[in-house]
Amino acid sequence: MRISDDDDGLERTLDADTIAVVGCSTTPGKAAHGVPAYLQRHGYRVVPVNPFADEILEETAYDSLAGVPNSIDIGVVDVFRPSEEAGGIVDAAIKRAERVGDVSAVWLQLDITDAEAGERAAEAGFEFVQDRCLKVEHQRLRG
């Protein structure tokens, strides 16, 4: 299992180039907008996943993780959805990794947890982080 609750696991996750943000928001001031904007400013390609938006942060938004074109090499799936939805998102990330071979980590933001989904993600070989803010950890580890 690769449940990443130590700095080494977090560092491996932060090595990704592209982050798909499931639940990315169009609303400035929301964490689901501010965190992806921060990540963009720090060199990551952000791929917004939001079925109610066409574009976020000047990037094309996709309806679902499955809708992201295979040509986009996703490293991390960052989740800004309720804990009840985390399992389905992890399963979609696993399916994408099996099909495309790109996803290497799933990150559930603050207050989002799903231990069973974490076990499935770890069994699939993913780094798995839950109940932590990607921006906060990036600032702490890579300042």
Side-chain angles (χ1 to χ4, degrees), residues 32-109:
H33 183 86
V35 171
Y38 167 88
L39 295 169
Q40 248 185 0
R41 288 192 307 273
H42 286 83
Y44 292 95
R45 178 176 183 193
V46 170
V47 178
V49 177
N50 180 328
F52 304 106
D54 294 325
E55 184 178 282
I56 304 172
L57 300 170
E58 299 182 8
E59 291 280 350
T60 300
Y62 299 93
D63 289 348
S64 66
L65 196 54
V68 176
N70 293 349
S71 60
I72 297 175
D73 187 25
I74 297 171
V76 176
V77 174
D78 184 26
V79 180
F80 279 96
R81 299 296 303 148
S83 294
E84 308 82 68
E85 295 180 28
I89 296 165
V90 166
D91 292 341
I94 292 168
K95 285 180 187 171
R96 180 178 174 94
E98 290 170 348
R99 191 179 77 247
V100 182
D102 57 352
V103 178
S104 61
V106 174
W107 189 300
L108 306 183
Q109 287 290 106

Side-chain angles (χ1 to χ4, degrees), residues 1 7 9 30 32 51 59 67 77 98 102 126 131 141:
M1 291 179 69
D7 287 351
K30 283 189 157 187
E59 291 280 350
V77 174
E98 290 170 348
D102 57 352
F126 293 176
D131 193 23
L141 295 168

Side-chain angles (χ1 to χ4, degrees), residues 2-6 9-11 13-14 76-79 90 105-110 112-114 118 121 126-134 137:
R2 295 175 68 161
I3 305 294
S4 300
D5 57 3
D6 62 7
L10 298 176
E11 284 281 3
T13 303
L14 292 172
V76 176
V77 174
D78 184 26
V79 180
V90 166
V106 174
W107 189 300
L108 306 183
Q109 287 290 106
L110 282 174
I112 304 170
T113 61
D114 186 328
F126 293 176
E127 297 289 344
F128 180 78
V129 180
Q130 63 182 350
D131 193 23
R132 289 187 179 211
C133 178
L134 210 158
E137 297 301 333

